[in-house]
Amino acid sequence: MIAEYLGQRLGQNIVVENRPGKGATIGTSQVAKAAPDGYTLLVSNISSFAIAPPLYGDLDYDPVKDFVPIVMVAELAQILVVHPSVPANSINELLALAKAKPGALRYGSSGIGSTQHIAGEAFDAAAGVKAVHVPYKGSAQAHLDIIAGNIEMMFDTTSSAMGQIKAGKFKPLAVTSAKRSAELPEVPTLIEAGLAGFDMTTWYAVYVTAGSPPEIVAKLQAELARVV
């Protein structure tokens, strides 16, 4: 959506290249090495900028030195969804199931170190349960395996999971933010479900490669602010 509206404002076609994998760090690395001309933009989230640096020891980019932040575009809650066949309609019922069969529940993510992975680990720690992490190259692949019944659940952003929820293919149980989501007001927070202090959101922002011309950075900032 950002590319569509920014392209209209700039009078240029903007090509979207999805580069999933390794908690969004593969695409982030590509932009870090791009020509610093302001024509290669990165839309990424908390995973590749705040989670990955202390988690991985082999990153080939510096999240501060190699990028110029343009604008914050969104802050989203994550939502815990399960396959409709999972015999749990609340967090308490899910926890009872997890405690009765340790390791039986599997949760997908878009990769090790992704926000979905971190949310899953935090959930395990806060609830005193142990679910098995199954990493994928992206959320879409994890969605397919939940729909197929190969894994039982995952944490994902509301924007990513909403289509499957509306289609009845995902059953939402709770959101990770301190307040309920305006998109799913009937779904409780994990705090309401008894996990005190559980407040995790994901932010998304747009960047360009460090060294890009200041006048182009200023133009992008102005136009992206209008788009948002």
Side-chain angles (χ1 to χ4, degrees):
M1 290 188 291
I2 294 169
E4 177 185 355
Y5 290 109
L6 181 62
Q8 291 174 6
R9 294 200 61 85
L10 295 177
Q12 297 185 8
N13 290 325
I14 298 178
V15 178
V16 177
E17 295 186 23
N18 294 308
R19 289 287 185 266
K22 199 178 179 181
T25 61
I26 292 176
T28 302
S29 174
Q30 181 181 349
V31 177
K33 297 176 177 60
D37 55 12
Y39 279 77
T40 301
L41 282 69
L42 172 70
V43 179
S44 194
N45 61 27
I46 191 173
S47 293
S48 57
F49 280 83
I51 296 174
L55 189 66
Y56 295 113
D58 60 348
L59 289 182
D60 57 358
Y61 65 86
D62 185 304
V64 176
K65 296 179 181 178
D66 293 339
F67 299 92
V68 175
I70 302 298
V71 67
M72 186 82 76
V73 295
E75 183 178 8
L76 304 172
Q78 292 194 69
I79 184 163
L80 174 56
V81 296
V82 299
H83 188 275
S85 67
V86 173
N89 294 308
S90 69
I91 291 298
N92 287 334
E93 290 179 357
L94 184 69
L95 293 179
L97 186 64
K99 291 176 180 178
K101 298 180 179 180
L105 292 177
R106 298 158 294 182
Y107 71 93
S109 80
S110 60
I112 295 173
S114 64
T115 54
Q116 296 103 319
H117 177 206
I118 299 301
E121 293 295 326
F123 177 75
D124 282 0
V129 297
K130 183 57 182 176
V132 177
H133 176 223
V134 183
Y136 294 84
K137 287 186 177 180
S139 293
Q141 292 181 344
H143 287 187
L144 291 176
D145 260 9
I146 294 180
I147 293 169
N150 295 325
I151 59 175
E152 288 73 33
M153 62 185 195
M154 77 176 294
F155 286 87
D156 204 358
T157 57
T158 49
S159 59
S160 177
M162 190 60 67
Q164 308 293 1
I165 293 171
K166 290 181 177 179
K169 296 178 180 179
F170 286 176
K171 181 166 54 175
L173 296 186
V175 294
T176 63
S177 52
K179 297 180 179 180
R180 293 193 182 196
S181 169
E183 297 171 290
L184 294 165
E186 72 282 1
V187 178
T189 67
L190 283 170
I191 295 174
E192 290 177 296
L195 302 185
F198 202 108
D199 181 10
M200 295 181 67
T201 56
T202 299
W203 50 255
Y204 288 80
V206 181
Y207 306 81
V208 290
T209 310
S212 296
E215 64 274 14
I216 292 182
V217 171
K219 177 70 171 179
L220 289 172
Q221 285 176 330
E223 298 300 343
L224 278 165
R226 294 185 178 97
V227 167
V228 173

